[in-house]
Amino acid sequence: MTMRSVPKMRRLLDGMNKGSKMARRTMWTTDRIITTPYEKIEIPNCTVYDYVWENLEKWPEKTLSVCADTGRGYTYEQAFNLSNAFAANLRLKLNIRDGDTVSMMLPNIPDFPLIAIGILGAGGVISTINPIYTAHEVQRLLVMSNSKAIVTMPDKLKTVQDALKLAKINIPIVIVKTNGDAAPENTFCFNELSEDVHVDKSCLKEVRRSPTDTCFLPYSSGTTGLPKGVELSHRNLVANMQQMNNPKIRNHMDTSATHQDAVLGCLPFFHIYGASVIMFHKISVGAKIVALSKFTPDSYFKSLEKYKIDILYAAPPMILLMGGHPASTTETLQHLRSVINGAAPLSSTDVERFLSKVKNGIDIRQAYGLTETSPLVIMPPTGINNYQTVGYPVSNTEAKIVDQDLKVLGPNEAGELLLRGPQVMKGYRDNPKANSEVFTADGWFRTGDVAIADDKGLITITDRIKELIKVKGYQVPPAELEALLREHPAVLDAAVIGIPHSSKGEVPKAFIVLKDGQKAEAKDIKDFVKERVAPFKKIESVEFLDSIPKSSAGKILRKDLKAKYA
């Protein structure tokens, strides 16, 4: 699972040599499948719980996670013991059983990994919820996931309680305390459950989970519509972590007595990118995770410098910030060795602006993945200097590009990207219709993204077929906002599209048809939505129309709206 540590410059040069060799041969097969240039991997037949702790004895005293603001944190040995005590109490006191879902509604705190691994240790399934969600949004996810408990912060307790009332369910609430306050009435305290030295951990021997069982249930908008539960198995995540370890693409260095990579956890752990790439994988290789609970430019740049961050996983707004903020200097960014951009594409101009601020030789690449693919599926080799491409399929993974009739296309032809590999999800939970839409008859996963590959097989993402709006990398499904807008007493019909925004990428714009005799101002509409959704989903602008353009089948023609109004 690990590779012998070599000097940084040697590794960069090796990566460049490997990248140049790849550039001289094509990854296309005769039947127009794009194969991987990376060696095939063996996938361990184990659970995520077993995988992340496999090398624990090599670095028990190293820091596993630390709060960027306070310095509060845990060593690997502490994390192992506390998460196991928590797991035992989940079974003994909260009656969690194999396959039960436990929701986590938390910001990036150092306790997050302990809670997540504890849920897995108890035989449970993790489902994550954005902590800025409203009670309306939370109740829907709790019902859809059939959660048997929820873990949250004291300041989110009322939202959770309101969500439970709306859902008409009663499940245990576990509170994570970061200060000395007493736990609120009728809740469990994570700190007490995890620090219980008398708990009988022998109950964990009863856990029976196989690699094919679901272990993580994040919610994604998929290709269209309302959130869908993405069933990721232990095998999906373990396979993806093994794929990240491939010597030609990996960006971490071995943990040793004298070295430990520091990774900034500023992307949310409740998202697959943060959970799998930053949290689970980096624990498996013994890295230090610096948890940034609230992102501000000041806290971000201070953390990069104070904790000597080696590896940064970023979304475009962060790269833009580092390219233009006054606090972004060569000194602030001096420790960065590797920066991987995901969530949304970057332009070469944005990359060059960032590179002007950092030392020579930094590894910066764009990678591609989705919630449904655990997430990583395409990544360039180390040393590549093409900042537009997302690279080649990772080990054990294939790709192809098709037209609207699913006819396979060849080099330099743009079409929908399809994928096949061990990291692709089991499917959407209890949603056969959605599964039939994203899986072809022969088992390929339809990404809904438009891609083009050159004659060597290097893939570039060019557009989205799906109509999701990307606000700072977060997915906003138009269908969700449209359904909500139609609940407004004055609204007859509604449509939502994404329009360009200088710092957020895109923002939602609503088109409204009012009921006969009804009046409403744009502010009324925006406030109605604002009260019911997370801040990143709020409507930025409103336009009133006589009718919403629709196809003969009644589908909203968002492309027509974009062409005319965006």
Side-chain angles (χ1 to χ4, degrees), residues 215-341:
C215 69
F216 194 29
L217 186 68
Y219 276 79
S220 167
S221 298
T223 52
T224 57
L226 298 172
K228 304 173 184 71
V230 177
E231 291 199 300
L232 298 174
S233 68
H234 289 276
R235 178 179 169 82
N236 289 150
L237 293 184
V238 168
N240 208 216
M241 288 189 277
Q242 281 288 87
Q243 289 164 328
M244 293 178 212
N245 287 338
N246 186 288
K248 293 177 183 174
I249 67 169
R250 69 177 238 171
N251 65 334
H252 67 275
M253 293 179 65
D254 290 339
T255 301
S256 66
T258 57
H259 178 80
Q260 182 187 29
D261 278 344
V263 183
L264 186 60
C266 51
L267 294 176
F269 295 156
F270 60 77
H271 187 275
I272 186 64
Y273 190 2
S276 181
V277 178
I278 299 177
M279 187 172 67
F280 289 134
H281 178 256
K282 295 308 174 289
I283 293 172
S284 76
V285 298
K288 177 194 295 183
I289 302 167
V290 180
L292 189 62
S293 62
K294 188 174 182 181
F295 187 98
T296 66
D298 183 56
S299 62
Y300 174 67
F301 288 115
K302 280 184 178 177
S303 298
L304 287 174
E305 192 168 12
K306 177 180 177 182
Y307 290 96
K308 300 180 179 179
I309 299 299
D310 302 276
I311 300 174
L312 178 66
Y313 293 95
M318 294 161 57
I319 305 292
L320 295 175
L321 185 71
M322 291 189 291
H325 196 278
S328 181
T329 64
T330 303
E331 184 179 14
T332 307
L333 309 175
Q334 64 179 304
H335 302 289
L336 284 177
R337 187 182 74 244
S338 177
V339 176
I340 305 297
N341 178 67

Side-chain angles (χ1 to χ4, degrees), residues 5-149:
S5 179
V6 292
K8 297 179 186 178
M9 188 52 65
R10 166 78 182 280
R11 284 201 51 231
L12 284 171
L13 289 172
D14 284 350
M16 290 177 187
N17 291 334
K18 290 167 185 171
S20 64
K21 288 176 184 175
M22 287 177 203
R24 291 196 293 270
R25 61 190 176 103
T26 182
M27 294 299 110
W28 289 93
T29 66
T30 53
D31 53 356
R32 295 185 167 187
I33 302 250
I34 305 169
T35 58
T36 177
Y38 309 125
E39 293 86 351
K40 184 178 180 180
I41 57 159
E42 294 298 322
I43 304 169
N45 189 39
C46 66
T47 65
V48 171
Y49 176 89
D50 291 332
Y51 186 89
V52 298
W53 292 132
E54 182 178 3
N55 291 305
L56 174 66
E57 74 282 355
K58 293 182 180 179
W59 41 69
E61 301 305 317
K62 297 285 188 185
T63 299
L64 182 145
S65 60
V66 60
C67 175
D69 297 321
T70 66
R72 183 178 67 87
Y74 302 98
T75 66
Y76 272 81
E77 186 173 45
Q78 289 171 334
F80 177 78
N81 291 329
L82 293 169
S83 64
N84 277 338
F86 178 59
N89 273 319
L90 283 177
R91 291 185 74 91
L92 296 173
K93 294 183 179 177
L94 276 72
N95 202 35
I96 298 300
R97 291 294 175 264
D98 293 357
D100 284 350
T101 300
V102 179
S103 284
M104 296 177 63
M105 185 175 168
L106 298 167
N108 285 14
I109 53 175
D111 317 79
F112 199 117
L114 282 63
I115 295 163
I117 297 172
I119 293 169
L120 297 181
V125 176
I126 303 162
S127 190
T128 48
I129 300 175
N130 189 331
I132 64 174
Y133 273 7
T134 65
H136 180 85
E137 294 165 306
V138 174
Q139 65 89 20
R140 182 171 60 206
L141 294 182
L142 290 176
V143 171
M144 291 175 74
S145 64
N146 191 24
S147 288
K148 302 301 183 184

